[in-house]
């Protein structure tokens, strides 16, 4: 298993450019999500998906679009990059289930994409 | 709104010390709590997951406990080693749509 993979590892954009961050997982997980990590702010949820064809907004969705056409892939699109989107972006997928009468959702993270917007 | 707090932000200890990292959360209606490790410039590695019905989980030298009623979890690291130096993040899962809320992490430095 490759787990959760992300490309590219590093990217520099100019203000106004658009791009897509790629995320793929080979664990057949239904739930996938995108986070950004900023110094002093911690990790914040951008968008998430509970299965193919279903997406929803997280805490900081503005300026980002997502789609989920397959179980494996969950790309994140920056429509018009701004310096405020300079961050490290992490994709995660989740193993869910029930055990001992309770529900769990264990998240596994990719290695991240470091994005700089000039 | 769920809030997760980890104090202190940084900790430095000598090698061999047993240590406890604390995590507190405001909404006790959680599905599970997960501890992660993050090395500089790297992604997050899942260490332990505790379901809301559980009190603790163990993996090697790590033991995580959960007291849901008081909104607290601790990560116990036995016999710390320099290789344990990293940032440790606590995250709680709440809500029907399984949203994970993170603390800001504790940066641990273990001195040889």
């Amino acid at each position: 298993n490759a787990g959760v993979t992300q490309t590219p590892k590093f990217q520099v954009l100019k203000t106004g450019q658009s791009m897509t961050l790629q995320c793929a997982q080979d664990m057949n997980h239904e739930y996938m999500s995108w986070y950004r990590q900023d110094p002093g702010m911690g990790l914040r949820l951008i968008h998430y998906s509970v299965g193919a064809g279903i997406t929803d907004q997280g805490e900081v969705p503005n300026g980002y679009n997502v789609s989920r056409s397959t179980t494996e892939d969950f790309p994140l699109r920056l429509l018009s990059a701004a310096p405020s989107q300079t961050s490290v972006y992490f994709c995660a997928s989740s193993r869910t289930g029930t055990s001992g009468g309770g529900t769990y959702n264990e998240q596994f993270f990719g290695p991240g994409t470091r994005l700089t917007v000039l | 709104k769920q809030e997760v707090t980890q104090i202190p932000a940084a900790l430095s200890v000598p090698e061999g010390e047993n240590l406890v990292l604390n995590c507190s959360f405001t909404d006790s209606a959680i599905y599970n709590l997960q501890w992660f490790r993050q090395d500089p410039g790297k992604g997050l590695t899942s260490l332990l997951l505790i379901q809301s019905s559980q009190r603790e989980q163990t993996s090697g030298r790590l033991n995580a406990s959960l007291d849901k009623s008081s909104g607290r979890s601790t990560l116990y690291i036995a016999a710390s080693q320099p290789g344990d130096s990293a940032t440790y993040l606590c995250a709680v899962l709440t809500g029907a749509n399984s949203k994970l809320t993170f603390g800001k992490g504790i940066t641990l430095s273990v001195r040889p």
Side-chain angles (χ1 to χ4, degrees):
Chain A
N1 273 356
V4 181
T5 58
Q6 293 183 239
T7 56
K9 285 187 167 52
F10 301 94
Q11 183 70 49
V12 179
L13 293 178
K14 294 181 180 177
T15 297
Q17 287 184 315
S18 62
M19 78 159 296
T20 298
L21 307 185
Q22 301 292 343
C23 174
Q25 54 95 6
D26 62 358
M27 297 174 280
N28 202 33
H29 291 164
E30 291 293 329
Y31 188 95
M32 296 184 73
S33 49
W34 276 101
Y35 296 85
R36 59 178 290 174
Q37 186 176 37
D38 302 290
M41 301 292 292
L43 281 121
R44 293 179 292 170
L45 182 65
I46 304 172
H47 285 285
Y48 65 97
S49 169
V50 299
I54 306 169
T55 64
D56 205 347
Q57 296 181 349
E59 183 184 356
V60 287
N62 292 342
Y64 308 96
N65 270 1
V66 292
S67 60
R68 184 96 178 272
S69 56
T70 67
T71 299
E72 294 79 19
D73 300 299
F74 190 41
L76 178 72
R77 296 183 189 83
L78 279 70
L79 308 173
S80 177
S84 61
Q85 293 179 305
T86 293
S87 186
V88 181
Y89 291 85
F90 290 102
C91 178
S93 73
S94 299
R95 179 170 66 104
T96 61
T98 55
S99 172
T103 301
Y104 67 84
N105 177 313
E106 184 176 15
Q107 299 209 4
F108 300 91
F109 282 75
T113 294
R114 189 173 296 272
L115 175 68
T116 301
V117 182
L118 303 175
Chain B
K1 178 185 173 186
Q2 178 74 268
E3 293 181 1
V4 180
T5 302
Q6 294 183 258
I7 296 173
L11 188 60
S12 180
V13 300
E15 181 177 6
E17 191 164 300
N18 300 325
L19 55 98
V20 173
L21 306 182
N22 292 308
C23 170
S24 62
F25 47 95
T26 55
D27 184 353
S28 63
I30 66 170
Y31 287 94
N32 53 242
L33 182 144
Q34 202 168 349
W35 281 94
F36 294 89
R37 169 185 172 138
Q38 186 176 29
D39 293 291
K42 303 293 186 183
L44 280 70
T45 301
S46 179
L47 297 174
L48 289 165
L49 179 142
I50 310 177
Q51 292 181 238
S52 62
S53 58
Q54 297 173 328
R55 297 286 292 183
E56 66 175 8
Q57 284 287 334
T58 298
S59 176
R61 293 184 294 109
L62 305 179
N63 175 279
S65 67
L66 174 64
D67 184 342
K68 208 172 65 159
S69 61
S70 67
R72 293 183 182 181
S73 175
T74 60
L75 179 66
Y76 175 82
I77 303 177
S80 58
Q81 303 169 358
D84 294 329
S85 298
T87 297
Y88 292 82
L89 296 108
C90 162
V92 295
L93 192 77
T94 48
N97 289 325
S98 302
K99 296 186 179 180
L100 203 61
T101 303
F102 282 84
K104 293 183 180 178
I106 298 174
T107 298
L108 173 65
S109 174
V110 181
R111 307 187 301 272

